[in-house]
Amino acid sequence: METIGGDAHVHRYGWAGLWSAVASLIFLWSMVQQYVPAQLEDYLTTLARRLHTAMSPYVTISIDEHIPDSFSRSEAYVSTEAYLSATCASSARRLRADHAPGSDRLRVAVDDHEEVVDQFRGAKLWWRKTKMLPRSNIISWSAREEARRMYCLTFHYRHRGLVDALYLPHVLAEGRAAIVRNRQRRLFTNNPSSLWSGYYGRTWSHVKLEYPSTYATLGMDPGKKQAIIDDLDMFRDGKDYYASVGKAWKRGYLLFGPPGTGKSTMIAAMANYLDYDIYDLELTAVKNNTELRRIFIETTGKSIIVVEDIDCSIDLTGKRKTREKKDKGSKKKKTTLPTPAGGREDEDSKVTLSGLLNFIDGLWSTCGGERIIVFTTNHKEKLDPALIRRGRMDSHIEMSYACFESFKVLAKNYLHIADHELFHEIRQLLGEVDMSPADVAENLMPKSKNRDVDACLRKLIKALKQAKEEALAKALVGTDDKEETQGDDDSNSSEEEGNEKK
């Protein structure tokens, strides 16, 4: 018993001495490391890894957070993070919690320098998340941004074929599925370049997308609405088809029509139907074409990139202004000069038409997939034909004034009725008067909790009759002005003929 006790005593104190020596070595290395040249440190690190590889039967695969020489995060890294959060986070001792966008709960993920274990078809696999800081004794924002994060997967070499063929595709597929399950639709806006430093280099800021518009509530002709839905379905399920015909997996929509006809509502309905994010691109906040390309790269798949009122953002009409130039000893000669971007001489914005075309349909448009680009305008005729041709804006959707079919949708939404004795009169008036769906909806909006259907419909009829009278009065004024102008022209012609005779 004494011998056993003595051996245990020696054994215990032997381990204590070993751990003390290891701790001392670690402390000394931390003191000496800052004086070791970087080349020598890299050499020692490489040598240690080679010795470990030669002696260890395990294989390690690393997945970096960022793709080398790229602005975007690695899809493999994002999918791995989602997979581990869904399957292995419960076994981790150190977790990192942050607020999931648009959610009322915290999202839990594996923290830096934490290890979790996964099982797959009898194979045991270890995942470790690491963070490598740059060689700098000064902590700054730039140093933090350059920190390198990665997930390291370690397994026995005999499972190499299983990992390559089955496990890694499984992680990617399950991670993507977890992202889709947990995703909350977001509305992004691009930050002005002058404020990027204040946003720590973030190009986009976002809020939760809470626009409730759907195609069921959209006041539009049902046949036209169904054609748009079918087109969106074909795009969403057309990844292989787009690849087979050699086209980037994207589609452009031009929404044009008078104000109040539901262009923004249509975009929200698209996002809700496809479960896509919306990137609201403000072109006036973009400095130049290079910045525009970076902004595009920072967008993700399953998204709708929107430029509202494209004709008002910057000068993209393709027209040229004329400037009179007087030559010596000759008449005035008109010389055409390109209009600066934005139509201003101060060149506040240097985004050009060619830069925007490359953004939509050039080489940079192929960076990523499953993106929809939407332009809206009240004046289609003002846009350069090169900007809205097929292949860039593939589908032109006219958002027109309310018809009787769109009125019936709005009446069902606002008044919960499918038919009424006043519908016949409203149908006749809608055929004679142009009124936007927004104006129709406002007149159908109940003003009390009682929801007096008759009062709402009569209010709409009154508004339609008033709009009809205003349109007739405007037409009469226009006719009178035209006749007066024609009379003046006839008088001037007679006077000129008399002068010629004289």
Side-chain angles (χ1 to χ4, degrees):
M1 294 296 294
E2 292 180 0
T3 304
I4 295 175
D7 292 342
H9 179 79
V10 173
H11 181 74
R12 182 170 64 252
Y13 280 93
W15 278 109
L18 177 62
W19 287 119
S20 178
V22 171
S24 299
L25 288 173
I26 293 174
F27 176 75
L28 289 173
W29 174 247
S30 64
M31 296 289 292
V32 175
Q33 186 179 14
Q34 58 183 333
Y35 301 106
V36 175
Q39 294 179 349
L40 178 59
E41 184 180 351
D42 291 339
Y43 175 77
L44 293 175
T45 302
T46 303
L47 181 62
R49 287 178 179 175
R50 288 179 179 177
L51 291 174
H52 179 267
T53 301
M55 300 175 61
S56 174
Y58 293 95
V59 179
T60 299
I61 298 176
S62 61
I63 302 175
D64 281 295
E65 181 178 12
H66 290 281
I67 302 173
D69 300 325
S70 174
F71 297 120
S72 57
R73 298 179 78 198
S74 166
E75 183 185 2
Y77 180 91
V78 175
S79 299
T80 299
E81 187 168 60
Y83 171 79
L84 295 178
S85 298
T87 59
C88 304
S90 58
S91 62
R93 294 295 185 92
R94 296 181 59 197
L95 299 169
R96 173 178 51 83
D98 60 0
H99 186 260
S103 178
D104 295 330
R105 62 184 179 86
L106 292 177
R107 177 178 55 191
V108 178
V110 177
D111 199 6
D112 296 336
H113 310 296
E114 179 65 6
E115 186 176 273
V116 292
V117 181
D118 194 14
Q119 299 282 345
F120 183 77
R121 298 194 177 187
K124 191 173 184 180
L125 309 106
W126 293 267
W127 284 99
R128 182 173 180 82
K129 184 179 181 182
T130 63
K131 176 182 178 182
M132 299 175 62
L133 294 174
R135 288 195 181 98
S136 175
N137 295 326
I138 301 174
I139 299 177
S140 62
W141 285 116
S142 59
R144 292 184 185 183
E145 289 174 4
E146 293 172 3
R148 180 185 175 193
R149 283 184 171 87
M150 67 177 70
Y151 280 103
C152 295
L153 170 63
T154 303
F155 53 91
H156 199 279
Y157 73 92
R158 66 172 175 268
H159 300 309
R160 177 67 181 269
L162 176 68
V163 170
D164 289 345
L166 298 176
Y167 182 67
L168 289 179
H170 167 74
V171 170
L172 188 61
E174 290 298 318
R176 287 172 174 169
I179 292 172
V180 172
R181 286 195 303 269
N182 300 326
R183 83 184 263 120
Q184 167 63 50
R185 287 185 300 278
R186 294 169 293 177
L187 175 61
F188 291 84
T189 183
N190 54 303
N191 299 319
S193 56
S194 59
L195 298 180
W196 278 9
S197 58
Y199 286 96
Y200 309 122
R202 290 190 298 170
T203 307
W204 296 94
S205 297
H206 68 267
V207 295
K208 180 181 178 181
L209 178 61
E210 298 181 302
Y211 206 125
S213 173
T214 63
Y215 282 112
T217 61
L218 183 63
M220 191 177 189
D221 179 79
K224 191 174 181 179
K225 188 190 305 183
Q226 188 59 47
I228 297 171
I229 294 174
D230 293 341
D231 191 75
L232 292 173
D233 286 336
M234 183 174 180
F235 169 78
R236 179 178 55 189
D237 302 329
K239 180 180 181 180
D240 295 335
Y241 174 77
Y242 275 81
S244 67
V245 298
K247 291 186 64 175
W249 191 15
K250 65 177 183 61
R251 190 156 180 81
Y253 291 89
L254 176 66
L255 307 182
F256 65 96
T261 51
K263 293 183 283 295
S264 298
T265 305
M266 169 66 77
I267 295 170
M270 284 182 175
N272 289 327
Y273 181 75
L274 296 171
D275 196 20
Y276 283 8
D277 293 330
I278 294 178
Y279 287 85
D280 184 15
L281 176 58
E282 179 57 56
L283 283 178
T284 57
V286 181
K287 188 176 180 181
N288 50 42
N289 293 336
T290 302
E291 187 175 305
L292 183 64
R293 288 193 291 269
R294 175 176 178 177
I295 285 174
F296 180 77
I297 291 173
E298 290 289 335
T299 63
T300 61
K302 295 183 180 295
S303 61
I304 302 175
I305 303 172
V306 180
V307 181
E308 293 201 83
D309 297 321
I310 182 68
D311 55 304
C312 300
S313 297
I314 54 177
D315 184 17
L316 299 171
T317 62
K319 298 177 181 178
R320 298 175 182 273
K321 67 178 182 179
T322 60
R323 180 179 298 171
E324 293 184 350
K325 187 175 182 181
K326 189 174 182 180
D327 292 338
K328 186 176 182 180
S330 63
K331 294 182 179 180
K332 291 182 178 179
K333 182 180 179 181
K334 290 185 177 180
T335 304
T336 59
L337 295 174
T339 304
R344 298 183 301 271
E345 295 290 346
D346 56 1
E347 297 185 357
D348 289 340
S349 174
K350 294 182 181 179
V351 175
T352 63
L353 177 59
S354 65
L356 189 61
L357 295 181
N358 190 34
F359 167 83
I360 301 169
D361 194 35
L363 294 176
W364 287 92
S365 68
T366 61
C367 299
E370 201 170 358
R371 289 184 177 94
I372 290 176
I373 301 174
V374 179
F375 288 166
T376 71
T377 181
N378 296 334
H379 306 284
K380 179 183 176 182
E381 68 281 358
K382 290 184 178 181
L383 299 178
D384 192 303
L387 182 66
I388 60 176
R389 70 163 174 81
R390 308 294 178 175
R392 288 176 178 144
M393 293 294 104
D394 305 284
S395 178
H396 295 189
I397 302 174
E398 182 178 7
M399 307 299 293
S400 57
Y401 292 108
C403 62
F404 181 66
E405 295 299 327
S406 59
F407 156 75
K408 289 172 64 176
V409 175
L410 295 173
K412 185 177 181 181
N413 293 340
Y414 287 88
L415 302 178
H416 298 171
I417 59 172
D419 196 9
H420 194 276
E421 59 183 8
L422 295 176
F423 274 21
H424 177 72
E425 185 176 0
I426 293 174
R427 181 172 192 167
Q428 182 178 357
L429 288 170
L430 285 173
E432 301 171 352
V433 180
D434 290 336
M435 179 173 285
S436 69
D439 290 333
V440 172
E442 180 60 28
N443 284 287
L444 291 177
M445 181 79 72
K447 301 302 180 183
S448 63
K449 295 182 180 180
N450 297 329
R451 191 178 294 167
D452 190 341
V453 175
D454 290 343
C456 293
L457 294 177
R458 293 188 186 281
K459 184 174 66 171
L460 175 60
I461 292 173
K462 181 180 178 180
L464 287 169
K465 289 181 177 179
Q466 184 178 353
K468 181 179 179 180
E469 292 175 358
E470 292 176 355
L472 289 173
K474 187 176 181 180
L476 289 174
V477 172
T479 303
D480 293 341
D481 291 342
K482 185 177 181 181
E483 290 177 353
E484 184 178 349
T485 303
Q486 186 175 358
D488 293 340
D489 293 341
D490 293 341
S491 176
N492 292 333
S493 298
S494 301
E495 187 176 342
E496 290 177 359
E497 289 177 1
N499 291 335
E500 289 179 0
K501 289 180 180 179
K502 289 179 182 181

